[in-house]
Amino acid sequence: MFRWRQVLFATRNLRAVFEGSKAPRKQFSTRVTMCDKFKLPVRYGAGEASVWVEYIQLAAEYKPAVNLGQGFPDYSPPQHVIKALSDIASPDSFLLNQYTRGYGHPRLVQNLSKVYSPLINRQLDPMTEILVTTGAYEALYSAILGHVDEGDEVIVIEPFFDCYDFMIKSAGGVPKFIALKPKQTESELTSNNWVLDETELTSLFNSKTKMLILNTPHNPLGKVFKREELEVIANLCKKHNVLCLSDEVYEWMVYEPNKHIRIATLPDMWDRTVTIGSAGKTFSVTGWKIGWAYGPQKLMRNLQVVHQNCVYTCCTPIQEAVARSFEFELARVNTPECYFNSISRELVSKRDYFVKVLRENGFNPTVPDGGYFIIADWTKLKNKIDLSSERDKYQDYRFTKKFAKEAGVLTIPPSAFYSEQHKHLGEDFARFCFIKKDENLALAEKLMKEWNAKKK
């Protein structure tokens, strides 16, 4: 009798499937359980869209006349860089369409060693002390996932590139935030005026601290950390046996009289520093997505393990093109024409022009010492713009969205680069990117002037 009841129950289930009737309660329960089981892992939160996803969609929807949001050039990279890639796309280079060495294409890591060894005053082993990654983004990922364990604390300087936070949490780590804050000044505000509170910084170090993430030149402030500031950070890292992850992707974009100092060159810091670089920033080819990390072999081994179990190897022809581009620049490295030297001269005039534009149109910009972004206080324009139609929590989101819709100029809200408890520190600002064609910067000026004129 029991077996007949089982057959009858199974028959009813099949009939429910084929006839579209309601499924038995037990089947519904199983479906709910499966949905619960396959939820996004807690370490990724609710899967919120990043500021980049949101603002790319905003640009697609409203089509602002000028996009000064995302950080990429809207003009051609150096011609020799483009030629290097086009030369590889030939039948004679057929092997460059296949896999290359997992930790970095040999020609590229050898040239990276030639570039950086003189800058850090030691001979870099290209095979054990350099890792080529899918953009600086993956270099950060490999460094954080390779060194941060469950419960480890990581000190993050705000504002920060938004992926730092999520990568730390993905590794099971605990981010500890400290914000750069502007000192009052009677003269124009520069990125040098944004500083860390040394007492507050010191208080964040303890036995659980595994890593500090440094970004110099800084995105989005353009701050180039001075030697004295780096020495404070270095001494704390040494005292508490902490690793420094130094994000230096804007290393070539430093404006005189400022100098980029690599923290790995400070006394006793080589053994506890992993440094990140980017071909996208170095050669103005952000779409190539080639980055790298360098540091002592014992630290780099951890990055290699993550890398080999993540992407394994990077695009061979792009690595070859980056390698050839470095060779071209190494041949003229001590000349003004070398792109490592010329890019900052190219950008400083754009920076100065756009700082003037912003001031004339009601913004109070922080003049950057490096990089290609300007943070500008927009609060003098509050009486000219009605933000009530925008529903975002933070007012910099409301301002940048409404400004894009009304003025046709897209910018980025800096509160995206702060932790939840410190987002208010970014709400009075907007981030402008100035590595754009002169005519597009001029168009932005025209649009802002027209917008201001309508608001009088």
Side-chain angles (χ1 to χ4, degrees):
M1 181 63 71
F2 179 72
R3 287 183 180 176
W4 280 111
R5 285 177 179 170
Q6 284 182 314
V7 171
L8 181 61
F9 184 75
T11 303
R12 286 174 178 168
N13 279 348
L14 286 171
R15 186 177 299 147
V17 171
F18 287 110
E19 295 179 2
S21 62
K22 290 184 179 178
R25 189 183 303 260
K26 188 173 183 180
Q27 187 176 355
F28 177 75
S29 175
T30 302
R31 191 156 56 235
V32 171
T33 303
M34 286 182 68
C35 289
D36 289 343
K37 184 174 183 179
F38 300 118
K39 290 191 303 185
L40 188 70
V42 174
R43 63 181 175 272
Y44 293 110
E48 298 89 350
S50 74
V51 66
W52 315 113
V53 172
E54 185 175 358
Y55 274 68
I56 288 172
Q57 178 59 36
L58 181 74
E61 186 175 350
Y62 288 96
K63 297 179 173 55
V66 184
N67 184 348
L68 303 185
Q70 282 185 284
F72 60 83
D74 62 358
Y75 52 90
S76 178
Q79 286 303 302
H80 76 85
V81 176
I82 296 172
K83 185 176 185 302
L85 185 58
S86 65
D87 286 348
I88 292 163
S90 71
D92 295 336
S93 301
F94 62 92
L95 283 179
L96 291 175
N97 294 297
Q98 310 307 327
Y99 294 130
T100 187
R101 176 176 172 270
Y103 299 145
H105 187 51
R107 187 171 182 175
L108 177 54
V109 292
Q110 288 161 7
N111 283 322
L112 286 168
S113 175
K114 292 175 183 176
V115 170
Y116 286 110
S117 292
L119 298 175
I120 61 171
N121 302 315
R122 65 171 58 241
Q123 184 59 45
L124 272 172
D125 186 325
M127 297 299 159
T128 62
E129 295 181 325
I130 299 172
L131 173 68
V132 177
T133 57
T134 305
Y137 209 96
E138 193 239 317
L140 290 163
Y141 180 87
S142 296
I144 293 169
L145 273 290
H147 282 281
V148 176
D149 211 337
E150 196 76 32
D152 287 342
E153 294 183 0
V154 179
I155 297 171
V156 179
I157 298 170
E158 298 175 299
F160 59 88
F161 190 45
D162 60 331
C163 70
Y164 296 171
D165 184 22
F166 286 98
M167 289 178 181
I168 292 164
K169 290 174 181 174
S170 295
V174 181
K176 295 291 184 178
F177 300 100
I178 179 171
L180 290 157
K181 295 177 182 176
K183 293 185 299 186
Q184 286 190 338
T185 175
E186 294 180 1
S187 59
E188 66 181 24
L189 188 66
T190 74
S191 56
N192 186 48
N193 296 118
W194 292 71
V195 296
L196 293 174
D197 183 300
E198 188 174 339
T199 302
E200 183 184 359
L201 178 62
T202 301
S203 72
L204 293 180
F205 283 81
N206 59 66
S207 60
K208 294 182 180 179
T209 309
K210 173 66 73 70
M211 177 185 288
L212 177 142
I213 303 181
L214 171 70
N215 179 206
T216 182
H218 186 273
N219 171 18
L221 293 175
K223 179 179 176 64
V224 178
F225 280 75
K226 306 296 183 187
R227 177 174 292 275
E228 311 83 72
E229 295 174 304
L230 294 176
E231 286 172 347
V232 169
I233 293 170
N235 289 337
L236 286 167
C237 287
K238 288 183 286 187
K239 179 180 177 180
H240 296 274
N241 193 26
V242 168
L243 170 67
C244 179
L245 178 58
S246 191
D247 181 350
E248 301 182 12
V249 298
Y250 298 98
E251 60 192 317
W252 307 111
M253 302 164 205
V254 177
Y255 309 119
E256 294 182 348
N258 301 283
K259 301 291 183 185
H260 174 53
I261 299 170
R262 294 166 171 80
I263 196 169
T265 64
L266 269 55
D268 302 318
M269 281 301 291
W270 166 252
D271 289 333
R272 61 178 66 259
T273 302
V274 172
T275 305
I276 306 293
S278 164
K281 304 301 187 295
T282 298
F283 292 114
S284 296
V285 285
T286 60
W288 286 19
K289 290 298 291 179
I290 292 294
W292 50 81
Y294 63 85
Q297 181 179 358
K298 60 182 172 48
L299 296 180
M300 294 302 298
R301 173 60 184 154
N302 293 25
L303 280 72
Q304 291 172 345
V305 170
V306 175
H307 175 81
Q308 75 182 15
N309 291 292
C310 181
V311 301
Y312 171 62
T313 189
C314 300
C315 177
T316 307
I318 300 293
Q319 289 191 75
E320 174 73 11
V322 174
R324 295 183 187 185
S325 299
F326 271 122
E327 286 172 7
F328 188 96
E329 299 298 350
L330 283 166
R332 59 177 187 174
V333 70
N334 293 319
T335 70
E337 292 74 30
C338 177
Y339 198 58
F340 305 158
N341 304 320
S342 66
I343 189 169
S344 58
R345 295 196 309 274
E346 170 189 316
L347 289 175
V348 73
S349 59
K350 294 179 183 289
R351 178 201 69 173
D352 293 345
Y353 169 75
F354 209 67
V355 163
K356 180 174 176 287
V357 168
L358 289 169
R359 287 191 180 128
E360 290 175 350
N361 285 280
F363 292 90
N364 183 21
T366 292
V367 182
D369 292 329
Y372 46 57
F373 300 108
I374 298 172
I375 287 286
D377 187 324
W378 57 269
T379 53
K380 289 180 183 177
L381 300 172
K382 271 187 177 181
N383 64 337
K384 293 186 174 185
I385 190 165
D386 180 5
L387 304 180
S388 61
S389 62
E390 302 298 332
R391 301 304 179 192
D392 293 87
K393 181 178 180 181
Y394 299 104
Q395 67 173 359
D396 58 330
Y397 273 79
R398 297 197 296 272
F399 171 80
T400 52
K401 288 181 178 180
K402 193 64 179 288
F403 195 67
K405 295 169 187 177
E406 289 190 357
V409 179
L410 183 68
T411 63
I412 293 293
S415 66
F417 308 138
Y418 285 87
S419 59
E420 195 65 36
Q421 64 265 38
H422 291 154
K423 283 188 181 295
H424 64 280
L425 297 173
E427 285 191 274
D428 290 346
F429 300 90
R431 191 194 79 167
F432 295 81
C433 175
F434 60 87
I435 188 168
K436 305 295 180 182
K437 293 177 183 175
D438 290 345
E439 54 263 40
N440 283 334
L441 296 178
L443 176 57
E445 177 183 22
K446 176 178 178 289
L447 293 169
M448 284 193 277
K449 282 182 176 178
E450 289 174 352
W451 180 84
N452 267 296
K454 292 176 186 175
K455 298 293 180 172
K456 286 182 179 177

